[in-house]
Amino acid sequence: MMQRIRSTAFTVFLIGLVVVMGVALSPMMLFGKNPSRAVIQYWARLTLGGLKRIAGVSYRIEGAENIPVSGALIAANHQSMWETIALYALTPKPVMIFKKELLQIPIYGWWAARSGNIAVDRKGGAKALRDMSRAAKDRTGAGEQIVIFPEGTRMQPGQKAPLQPGVAGVYAATGAPCTPVAHDSGRHWRHPSGGKTPGVITIRFLPPIEPGLDRRAFLRELKARIESARPDLVEGSST
């Protein structure tokens, strides 16, 4: 019962923070992409702090030296909303790839558009993939980090899924290195219930996959690296 109350309290905090910051700081959007992104990064850090204090969920970073500081891809497994927040907080110049429908959400959509993220029309077929790859190339060329979740959907802890080919297309188009990221957020931020279980999320930044692999080899290497480092799959990892 107490943990349910703490989870609910955090949800109220999260929504309130989005509304208050999103409205109060909306003039920052007039100054363009970088100030808008800085606001979102500050919001992400406040959210992670609130998650720890209110719901008892903290995190530890392994391999921080592998966090890219120039143009790169960051490809992570997807288990909850947590990693979308954490990677924004931990990456110098993050650019999220997300579905176009999210732009219609009040406040969230405004900031997502103004901060330089890449919206994808999932029904757009080959043209949508070409547009996404072209935008990603521009962003990595500008020294930004493209954050992508190649499984394409959230998975439960312990589950595996094939990687969607879109990540290989972005890798090939940008010619940028790809940093694999593995974590176990779903153990402590449940999906789809949103319930929080106290504990420590482990997030691991792995050495980058350098550009130049063909698409099949890249997908095999990326999948192998993420799965071999995921705390919820590796025997003996903490729970």
Side-chain angles (χ1 to χ4, degrees):
M1 176 62 73
M2 179 56 67
Q3 193 54 38
R4 184 177 300 176
I5 293 173
R6 295 177 73 181
S7 293
T8 301
F10 172 74
T11 300
V12 172
F13 167 80
L14 177 62
I15 295 172
L17 192 63
V18 168
V19 173
V20 172
M21 287 188 66
V23 173
L25 298 179
S26 58
M28 293 295 290
M29 288 190 283
L30 298 175
F31 296 95
K33 177 175 66 176
N34 290 333
S36 298
R37 178 164 53 205
V39 169
I40 298 177
Q41 289 180 298
Y42 183 55
W43 167 84
R45 295 183 186 110
L46 289 177
T47 298
L48 294 176
L51 182 65
K52 179 179 179 179
R53 290 171 176 79
I54 298 170
V57 180
S58 60
Y59 66 94
R60 60 170 168 258
I61 302 171
E62 297 180 4
E65 69 276 8
N66 294 318
I67 298 176
V69 296
S70 57
L73 305 183
I74 296 177
N77 64 301
H78 200 12
Q79 293 185 355
S80 74
M81 184 179 175
W82 181 87
E83 54 270 18
T84 67
I85 298 170
L87 289 171
Y88 226 97
L90 299 174
T91 305
K93 294 182 178 180
V95 175
M96 289 282 177
I97 294 180
F98 62 95
K99 58 185 179 181
K100 184 179 180 180
E101 290 80 3
L102 294 179
L103 292 175
Q104 300 173 8
I105 300 176
I107 302 178
Y108 176 93
W110 309 341
W111 286 94
R114 291 297 294 165
S115 55
N117 295 300
I118 300 173
V120 178
D121 181 0
R122 291 188 174 182
K123 299 178 181 178
K127 182 181 183 301
L129 290 176
R130 288 195 300 270
D131 290 345
M132 176 181 69
S133 296
R134 188 179 303 113
K137 184 176 181 179
D138 290 343
R139 302 294 198 280
T140 56
E144 299 173 330
Q145 298 84 43
I146 306 296
V147 178
I148 189 167
F149 302 103
E151 292 163 324
T153 189
R154 296 182 182 96
M155 305 298 297
Q156 295 297 320
Q159 289 184 336
K160 299 179 183 181
L163 304 188
Q164 300 300 309
V167 65
V170 174
Y171 168 79
T174 61
C178 177
T179 298
V181 175
H183 61 84
D184 60 349
S185 72
R187 288 173 163 175
H188 304 287
W189 186 316
R190 303 292 182 181
H191 177 78
S193 71
K196 311 300 184 294
T197 300
V200 181
I201 294 169
T202 297
I203 181 167
R204 293 171 173 155
F205 290 86
L206 308 176
I209 300 172
E210 296 300 329
L213 295 180
D214 65 54
R215 296 190 179 206
R216 289 185 179 180
F218 168 71
L219 287 173
R220 285 196 301 268
E221 182 68 15
L222 179 60
K223 182 176 175 63
R225 290 200 193 188
I226 291 176
E227 291 184 354
S228 67
R230 275 177 51 183
D232 56 308
L233 295 178
V234 179
E235 186 176 355
S237 294
S238 59
T239 58

